[in-house]
């Protein structure tokens, strides 16, 4: 027996993966510090190296991660304010895309060089350059869609598609109204609605980026774009007087903004809340509920993934992929090197930025 050969064989079972881990719950700038650097308060997140075994088990898959976005929900998880928590020491990042490098002997649905995204049944930990997951944690996606898009398909576009499909039976010519229209979900709603012939009234906050946001939303197919203040004026009522009253309102803000959406809805209309950016409660006048029968619903994507099958998820993804292929849907993306994670993190938190920050995990 050659002991040197055995040592070399043992060493080759491992490779290095760069990761960003949650070291505590709180501000992302400090909660993402290396577990080994908690004493040093320099205000910067840390990329850690960890060993990844190349000798995978029967049902495991070795994946080289390509891209992963920084989502608001990722930041909420790090802050400890999301609906689910990730334990300290866990890798951050809910969604992303990678390429299969190796499969265990018991893996039946994936093969080497397949592109995969998280199954979204549980927290994934996508902010890493390489990882090992079970086959059930992965979902195969087509190779003809840009990988930057694939990395961001599971949350924002999927949320938008479901908001437009699962609550009200909308037909061509119908009207919806939404706030936070310049968010990634809002921009996705605009494009999916446009492809279906549904008109959109889009409400956004006033600010330095207002005119840029108006232009962007209209370029993507938005019909009317106004500020939150303008919605409260008689001039707005006149502006929309030629349109059918909206059957559906999509609320990601809460507070007064949600109240105004409910007032514009048609009788028997539905207001769906899927976010709370203002951190103010949704307050609907009693008269809207009694005399106009306004319906209030909530939506959480994590719960949808828990309660629906892979086949149902595939159907949603296929519909979005079809829009991308037809050039009826695009994502506003800005790529950043993983090695420059701090700059990417700061950019993702800038208000009114208008683009999804996507990490290139191999750079």
């Amino acid at each position: 027996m050659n002991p040197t050969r055995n040592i070399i064989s043992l060493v080759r079972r491992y490779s290095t993966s760069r990761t960003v881990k949650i070291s505590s719950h709180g501000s992302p700038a400090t909660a993402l510090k290396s577990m080994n650097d908690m004493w040093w308060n320099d205000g910067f997140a840390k990329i850690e190296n960890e060993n990844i075994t190349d000798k995978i088990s029967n049902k495991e898959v070795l994946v080289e991660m390509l891209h992963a976005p920084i989502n608001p929900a990722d930041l909420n998880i790090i802050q400890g304010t999301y609906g689910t928590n990730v334990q300290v020491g866990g890798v951050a990042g809910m969604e992303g895309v990678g390429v299969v490098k190796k499969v265990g002997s018991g893996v039946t649905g994936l093969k080497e060089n397949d592109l995969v995204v998280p199954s979204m049944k549980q927290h994934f930990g996508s902010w890493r350059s390489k990882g090992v997951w079970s086959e059930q944690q992965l979902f195969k996606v087509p190779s003809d869609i840009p990988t930057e898009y694939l990395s961001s398909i599971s949350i924002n576009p999927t949320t938008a598609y479901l908001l437009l499909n699962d609550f009200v039976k909308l037909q061509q010519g119908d009207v919806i109204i939404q706030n936070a229209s310049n968010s990634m979900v809002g921009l996705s709603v605009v494009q999916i609605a446009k492809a279906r012939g549904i008109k959109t009234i889009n409400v956004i906050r006033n600010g330095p980026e207002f005119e840029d946001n108006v232009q962007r939303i209209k370029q993507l197919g938005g019909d009317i774009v106004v500020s939150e203040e303008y919605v409260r004026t008689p001039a707005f009522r006149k502006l929309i007087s030629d349109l059918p009253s909206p059957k559906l309102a999509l609320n990601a803000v809460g507070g007064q903004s949600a109240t105004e959406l409910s007032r514009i809805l048609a009788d028997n209309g539905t207001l769906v809340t899927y976010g709370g950016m203002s951190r103010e409660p949704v307050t609907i006048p009693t008269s809207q509920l009694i005399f106009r029968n306004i319906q209030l619903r909530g939506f959480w994507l994590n719960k949808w993934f828990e309660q629906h099958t892979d086949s149902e998820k595939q159907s949603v993804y296929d519909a979005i992929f079809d829009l991308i292929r037809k050039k009826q849907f695009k994502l506003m993306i800005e790529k950043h090197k993983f090695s420059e994670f701090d700059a990417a993190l700061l950019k993702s938190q800038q208000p009114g930025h208008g683009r999804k920050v996507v990490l290139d995990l191999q750079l």
Side-chain angles (χ1 to χ4, degrees):
M1 181 179 292
N2 186 335
T4 303
R5 184 176 180 180
N6 287 341
I7 292 172
I8 293 173
S9 176
L10 180 62
V11 170
R12 286 177 177 171
R13 291 180 183 177
Y14 295 90
S15 58
T16 300
S17 174
R18 294 178 298 163
T19 69
V20 172
K21 294 183 177 181
I22 300 172
S23 59
S24 64
H25 290 119
S27 168
T30 54
L32 297 175
K33 294 171 67 65
S34 169
M35 299 293 286
N36 297 323
D37 294 330
M38 288 301 292
W39 62 274
W40 180 251
N41 187 24
D42 60 5
F44 292 98
K46 300 292 184 182
I47 294 178
E48 300 183 49
N49 290 329
E50 69 173 8
N51 289 331
I52 299 294
T53 179
D54 291 331
K55 187 175 181 181
I56 57 178
S57 66
N58 188 39
K59 291 286 188 179
E60 288 183 331
V61 182
L62 175 65
V63 178
E64 182 178 88
M65 294 300 294
L66 301 176
H67 296 103
I70 300 178
N71 288 304
D74 293 318
L75 304 181
N76 292 153
I77 287 174
I78 294 162
Q79 292 162 346
T81 60
Y82 199 60
T84 58
N85 288 322
V86 177
Q87 290 185 349
V88 168
V91 179
M94 293 176 67
E95 66 174 339
V97 64
V99 58
V100 173
K101 288 299 182 180
K102 191 175 182 180
V103 298
S105 58
V107 173
T108 58
L110 296 171
K111 63 182 185 304
E112 189 175 323
N113 294 324
D114 280 345
L115 291 175
V116 290
V117 298
S119 68
M120 302 302 291
K121 300 289 187 183
Q122 61 192 78
H123 182 76
F124 188 71
S126 59
W127 295 357
R128 65 176 97 198
S129 59
K130 187 182 293 186
V132 175
W133 289 275
S134 69
E135 182 179 8
Q136 286 70 35
Q137 291 176 280
L138 302 168
F139 196 84
K140 183 179 177 181
V141 288
S143 60
D144 65 323
I145 304 296
T147 53
E148 297 92 335
Y149 277 38
L150 292 173
S151 74
S152 304
I153 207 76
S154 303
I155 295 181
N156 296 154
T158 297
T159 295
Y161 182 90
L162 295 170
L163 289 172
L164 288 171
N165 280 269
D166 282 14
F167 295 94
V168 174
K169 188 175 182 180
L170 296 169
Q171 311 218 1
Q172 186 172 352
D174 284 340
V175 178
I176 71 151
I177 185 168
Q178 65 168 342
N179 56 25
S181 305
N182 57 314
S183 68
M184 292 302 110
V185 172
L187 296 177
S188 297
V189 164
V190 167
Q191 295 175 84
I192 297 170
K194 178 71 173 179
R196 292 180 53 186
I198 298 165
K199 296 185 181 300
T200 58
I201 302 170
N202 301 279
V203 183
I204 60 176
R205 292 181 178 179
N206 225 328
E209 306 295 326
F210 179 79
E211 292 301 330
D212 288 341
N213 285 325
V214 170
Q215 184 178 8
R216 181 179 298 115
I217 293 167
K218 288 191 171 181
Q219 285 177 342
L220 293 175
D223 295 283
I224 293 176
V225 188
V226 295
S227 70
E228 290 186 334
E229 294 78 12
Y230 191 75
V231 168
R232 302 166 194 163
T233 66
F236 173 72
R237 292 286 185 171
K238 184 177 180 180
L239 176 66
I240 65 172
S241 60
D242 291 337
L243 292 174
S245 295
K247 294 181 177 180
L248 176 68
L250 304 176
N251 168 48
V253 178
Q256 185 65 34
S257 180
T259 305
E260 297 301 330
L261 293 189
S262 74
R263 289 175 173 151
I264 296 160
L265 273 171
D267 289 356
N268 305 305
T270 300
L271 185 146
V272 182
T273 295
Y274 68 96
M277 294 179 185
S278 71
R279 300 194 177 184
E280 297 176 0
V282 174
T283 305
I284 307 300
T286 303
S287 60
Q288 303 289 336
L289 305 177
I290 296 176
F291 303 122
R292 301 187 56 231
N293 195 35
I294 297 301
Q295 308 293 308
L296 305 181
R297 301 286 302 276
F299 176 79
W300 187 30
L301 184 63
N302 293 50
K303 186 64 67 177
W304 189 92
F305 280 122
E306 287 177 11
Q307 296 175 343
H308 291 77
T309 66
D310 282 349
S311 177
E312 290 170 312
K313 177 168 58 180
Q314 185 70 65
S315 178
V316 173
Y317 286 0
D318 285 345
I320 298 169
F321 294 149
D322 189 50
L323 292 175
I324 295 171
R325 294 183 182 109
K326 291 177 178 177
K327 302 189 183 305
Q328 293 179 311
F329 185 92
K330 65 180 179 179
L331 290 169
M332 311 300 287
I333 284 174
E334 178 179 299
K335 288 171 60 176
H336 287 255
K337 296 177 181 178
F338 193 24
S339 58
E340 299 173 358
F341 178 79
D342 289 308
L345 182 64
L346 288 172
K347 199 64 176 274
S348 72
Q349 297 176 83
Q350 290 181 358
H353 177 52
R355 289 186 177 273
K356 171 75 69 180
V357 170
V358 172
L359 302 168
D360 189 327
L361 298 170
Q362 295 303 312
L363 292 178

